[in-house]
Amino acid sequence: MSDSLNLSPAHQLPHDVSGASVRPPRAKGEPRFPDGPRADPAGSHFERRIRSFQPRRSRVTTGQADALQRLWPQWGLDIDGQRVLDLAELFGNDRPVVLEIGFGMGEATARMAAADPDTNILAVDVHTPGQGNLLSLADRGGLANVRVGNGDAIILLREMLTPDSLDGLRVYFPDPWPKKRHHKRRLIQPEFLTLAAARLRPGAVVHCATDWEPYAEQMLEVLTAHPGFENTRADGGFAPRPGFRPLTRFEGQGLDKGHVVNDLLFRRVPHGDQQP
């Protein structure tokens, strides 16, 4: 992938003796990554509302910073809500597109992209180190079917995607917001599913996974009740982890501690079959 990049001198950073890029000190008010993801792409253009995510501040490694600076202009997307995306133009082809919301450090995303090169993955997160890490993994693996979105997935779905434009939705290990007073912040809610249903083609699969059992029960309840989706399981319950979803390091640590991971696979019903 990196062989196709034509970097201007402005994109080329000095290197230390090990070959790693070295970034000069940043002046006050200067963007963290001038050619990378913006800190708040949607700004104040949209209403303030309860969000299902909380941006985390953590250290960006030299390699992640280098990937953000080099690759973001070509493979990154700031979710500003100011335009409607042409997904075929974004990916350079008309292959099916799956939206992944919340990808952590991107290891599972990269492995799924490598295993299924005929499916495009639009992976969205607000965690800058994870964005840089996924770009780096995609670059090293030659994964031309990955694009990295920065910002609020709700704004992406509502403002920037057209009806029936997605062939799948993946939500793996979202924040469970375990305290009862925070349950309203959970992503998988009836309103979110209605928005997602409007962007998913009939037959598209919504795949959720969580290791927080009370949240898994809520997911199952709201997905089962929603008229736009049907459970792929004949028994109406949880699904075993499908082979295409890799076992992540985070998940493995949870399993070692006795956590129970539940997968849910629901299919978007044909529009004519949807009950009011």
Side-chain angles (χ1 to χ4, degrees):
M1 251 171 121
S2 56
D3 292 340
S4 64
L5 292 176
N6 295 314
L7 300 181
S8 67
H11 291 153
Q12 296 172 351
L13 300 174
H15 292 74
D16 62 17
V17 292
S18 68
S21 299
V22 177
R23 186 173 301 281
R26 179 163 50 101
K28 185 177 181 180
E30 181 184 346
R32 192 177 186 188
F33 303 102
D35 295 316
R38 288 154 54 191
D40 186 11
S44 59
H45 296 297
F46 299 95
E47 77 285 355
R48 296 182 64 84
R49 57 178 172 76
I50 296 172
R51 290 185 174 181
S52 63
F53 61 89
Q54 188 171 3
R56 295 169 290 155
R57 292 186 177 274
S58 56
R59 180 177 175 271
V60 177
T61 68
T62 301
Q64 293 162 1
D66 183 65
L68 287 166
Q69 187 70 6
R70 288 190 302 108
L71 304 172
W72 190 262
Q74 187 170 354
W75 296 311
L77 168 70
D78 276 315
I79 300 171
D80 57 12
Q82 300 300 300
R83 59 195 172 103
V84 176
L85 292 177
D86 182 331
L87 293 177
E89 179 181 349
L90 179 68
F91 285 94
N93 58 64
D94 59 359
R95 294 170 183 158
V97 178
V98 171
L99 173 63
E100 182 177 357
I101 300 177
F103 54 79
M105 295 305 291
E107 293 99 337
T109 306
R111 289 166 64 183
M112 289 187 290
D116 186 9
D118 291 329
T119 296
N120 295 323
I121 302 176
L122 175 53
V124 175
D125 209 308
V126 294
H127 187 48
T128 309
Q131 294 167 350
N133 200 59
L134 178 53
L135 285 171
S136 180
L137 291 170
D139 185 34
R140 296 202 305 266
L143 306 177
N145 56 332
V146 174
R147 298 293 181 271
V148 180
N150 168 52
D152 191 339
I154 299 295
I155 292 176
L156 173 70
L157 283 164
R158 193 182 65 196
E159 308 291 342
M160 301 179 70
L161 295 177
T162 57
D164 295 356
S165 57
L166 296 174
D167 290 86
L169 173 65
R170 297 169 180 166
V171 184
Y172 299 153
F173 303 99
D175 194 325
W177 296 102
K179 295 180 180 179
K180 187 173 182 179
R181 69 176 184 271
H182 291 156
H183 286 184
K184 59 183 177 292
R185 294 182 178 272
R186 289 176 172 174
L187 179 63
I188 306 301
Q189 307 274 6
E191 297 80 6
F192 169 78
L193 293 177
T194 296
L195 175 59
R199 303 294 178 253
L200 289 163
R201 292 192 177 103
V205 172
V206 173
H207 183 192
C208 302
T210 180
D211 64 341
W212 191 259
E213 290 187 81
Y215 194 11
E217 295 290 346
Q218 178 190 329
M219 289 180 177
L220 182 61
E221 179 181 348
V222 297
L223 277 161
T224 300
H226 198 283
F229 300 97
E230 62 182 5
N231 200 333
T232 61
R233 292 279 298 178
D235 61 7
F238 298 110
R241 179 177 66 88
F244 65 80
R245 183 176 74 75
L247 183 68
T248 66
R249 180 175 51 188
F250 166 81
E251 184 179 355
Q253 291 171 348
L255 291 172
D256 289 342
K257 296 175 182 177
H259 295 183
V260 175
V261 176
N262 286 297
D263 283 73
L264 302 94
L265 291 161
F266 276 72
R267 185 180 295 108
R268 176 74 169 99
V269 302
H271 300 316
D273 294 348
Q274 184 170 340
Q275 298 299 315

